[in-house]
Amino acid sequence: MDQPAPYHQGNLREALILAGMDLLTEGGVAGLTLRRAAARAGVSHAAPAHHFNGLPGLLTAIASRAFQHFSAAMDAARDAAGPDPFARLNGICSGYLNFAQDHAGFFHLMFVSAEVDRADPDLRQASSTAYLILRGACLPFAARGATEDEPLEVGVWSLVHGYALLGFNLPNGQNRRFNTLPAFTDLLARLIADGPKP
Amino acid sequence: MDQPAPYHQGNLREALILAGMDLLTEGGVAGLTLRRAAARAGVSHAAPAHHFNGLPGLLTAIASRAFQHFSAAMDAARDAAGPDPFARLNGICSGYLNFAQDHAGFFHLMFVSAEVDRADPDLRQASSTAYLILRGACLPFAARGATEDEPLEVGVWSLVHGYALLGFNLPNGQNRRFNTLPAFTDLLARLIADGPKP
DNA sequence: GAATAATGTTGACAGTGTCAAGATAACGGG
DNA sequence: CCCGTTATCTTGACACTGTCAACATTATTC
């Protein structure tokens, strides 16, 4: 006979995270709700409180997961770009921009939402990993670009981050398409300017 | 005798916008609520519906107002920077960064919030004005920086926008202070690279 | 001055996050 | 094996939100 289906979830925390990610993908940030995630996981509305510190806790957990996907996307784009240092950095940026475009909900949680706990250790670990990927690709150019207190990677990060966000809410109201990756590459080349250090 | 105090507000729409801006400044985006703005304007909770298209309408109106302040701040910073084209562009960027730091709530409404109606004519007018200010300061450098389909101003805008946002939510979790304006200037100089066209 | 429009109020509704109290399941020590 | 303890989940409530409909009041216009 079947074992009686367990009254409790096997791993409700995980189920809630996955349900929340689905909701986020389907309905954007507004579509992700503690009660809806609970319902989708087949559980009552107050169950999540035992696994997360309220809504911010769930959002933070999802943001950590999103950062892991983000890192994986940048890694893959870099590795597909071949050996040239600039091509690798540009590949990472294209992974960045594509992720921002294709997973706007995740991106919002990762970088924008004020409801995620930026001090959470898991989140810091995940975001730090992503940061190091970009930093690593900047290293070949660091000698020429570094200021005393503001390394080049901050400039690259700012450029790609701003470019991604303005893609969503362009101040003149016309969201542009992201067929402009070559154009971004030009901007990146201007910022890097001097090429890899000899 | 006094005229009897009007039962209706003299200009409730304006009063609601000002109350909303106060709430936004005091309590951030989470502190701004239709009902609270109505209460602060001394009016019942459903009154705003006659002046705005719901909460998005109020947020959109506030975003327009915020863009006007934003433009004024950039104008002032540019005019205080003297005649040199790079100094003027850099002044605008410093106005941009200072505004983002000092008015995070406005900035969020202007560029981030999904509840703002980006198609609103007033908002488009106000944001377009701001855009033209930055564009104008980029013009002296445009000949060298322009790509066919991606003008230099988009690069400058991306850089300063990303730099501003990463100042709030740095991916490694440590929000840096904005005493780094000189460092940003270095980045901007790298992007401009060739100097004003001869 | 009376009809009409603009402006506000009241009350209700569904939805949200959160909390307290109790029910149920799993686990561990005797 | 059984009982107490703990973790997990449910139920019910609360305050708060945006929005709507019905009604009251004021201003405007003919």
Side-chain angles (χ1 to χ4, degrees):
Chain A
M1 310 289 276
D2 292 345
Q3 289 198 3
Y7 175 68
H8 300 284
Q9 280 287 121
N11 190 349
L12 182 54
R13 182 185 163 93
E14 185 68 16
L16 287 169
I17 291 176
L18 295 179
M21 292 180 97
D22 284 352
L23 287 170
L24 193 57
T25 300
E26 294 169 14
V29 185
L32 172 50
T33 270
L34 209 47
R35 289 171 108 107
R36 277 217 269 257
R40 183 161 297 206
V43 103
S44 83
H45 66 263
H50 297 270
H51 299 275
F52 300 101
N53 208 4
L55 178 63
L58 175 59
L59 298 181
T60 302
I62 293 178
S64 294
R65 221 44 89 76
F67 259 113
Q68 294 168 14
H69 293 190
F70 182 59
S71 294
M74 288 197 294
D75 269 336
R78 179 199 54 203
D79 293 346
D84 176 65
F86 182 80
R88 288 166 68 83
L89 178 56
N90 188 55
I92 284 186
C93 289
S94 92
Y96 196 115
L97 294 175
N98 284 327
F99 187 93
Q101 182 186 14
D102 297 339
H103 305 100
F106 293 172
F107 199 76
H108 184 274
L109 243 48
M110 288 160 48
F111 290 113
V112 176
S113 171
E115 304 191 80
V116 307
D117 175 17
R118 307 282 164 192
D120 177 79
D122 285 359
L123 178 60
R124 294 184 65 137
Q125 160 76 29
S127 66
S128 189
T129 297
Y131 185 81
L132 290 179
I133 291 171
L134 188 115
R135 176 192 175 86
C138 286
L139 280 183
F141 310 92
R144 294 258 174 189
T147 307
E148 184 176 334
D149 53 358
E150 200 78 357
L152 178 64
E153 72 218 33
V154 172
V156 174
W157 193 274
S158 297
L159 185 67
V160 66
H161 194 65
Y163 197 84
L165 288 174
L166 293 179
F168 296 117
N169 287 327
L170 210 55
N172 64 9
Q174 297 178 345
N175 287 6
R176 94 180 101 91
R177 285 270 151 260
F178 267 94
N179 50 6
T180 53
L181 279 179
F184 174 83
T185 302
D186 289 345
L187 293 171
L188 181 63
R190 293 180 64 81
L191 191 63
I192 300 295
D194 299 322
K197 71 178 178 183
Chain B
M1 312 282 277
D2 291 345
Q3 290 199 3
Y7 173 69
H8 302 285
Q9 282 286 117
N11 189 348
L12 182 54
R13 182 185 163 93
E14 184 69 16
L16 287 169
I17 290 176
L18 295 179
M21 292 181 96
D22 284 353
L23 287 170
L24 193 57
T25 300
E26 294 169 15
V29 185
L32 172 51
T33 269
L34 252 190
R35 290 171 106 108
R36 277 217 270 257
R40 183 161 297 208
V43 102
S44 83
H45 67 263
H50 296 272
H51 299 274
F52 299 101
N53 208 5
L55 177 63
L58 176 59
L59 297 182
T60 302
I62 293 179
S64 294
R65 220 47 86 80
F67 259 113
Q68 294 169 14
H69 293 190
F70 181 59
S71 294
M74 287 196 295
D75 270 336
R78 179 199 55 203
D79 293 345
D84 176 66
F86 182 80
R88 288 167 69 83
L89 177 56
N90 188 56
I92 283 187
C93 289
S94 91
Y96 196 114
L97 295 175
N98 285 327
F99 188 93
Q101 181 186 14
D102 297 339
H103 305 100
F106 293 172
F107 200 75
H108 184 274
L109 242 48
M110 288 160 49
F111 290 112
V112 175
S113 171
E115 305 190 79
V116 171
D117 175 16
R118 307 282 164 191
D120 177 79
D122 286 359
L123 178 61
R124 294 184 64 138
Q125 161 76 31
S127 67
S128 189
T129 297
Y131 185 81
L132 290 179
I133 291 171
L134 188 115
R135 176 192 175 87
C138 287
L139 280 183
F141 309 93
R144 294 258 175 190
T147 308
E148 183 176 335
D149 53 357
E150 200 76 357
L152 177 64
E153 72 218 32
V154 172
V156 174
W157 193 275
S158 296
L159 185 68
V160 66
H161 194 66
Y163 197 84
L165 288 173
L166 293 178
F168 297 116
N169 288 327
L170 210 56
N172 64 8
Q174 297 177 345
N175 286 6
R176 92 182 102 91
R177 287 266 152 261
F178 267 93
N179 50 6
T180 53
L181 279 178
F184 174 82
T185 302
D186 289 346
L187 293 171
L188 181 62
R190 294 181 63 80
L191 192 65
I192 300 295
D194 300 323
K197 71 178 176 183

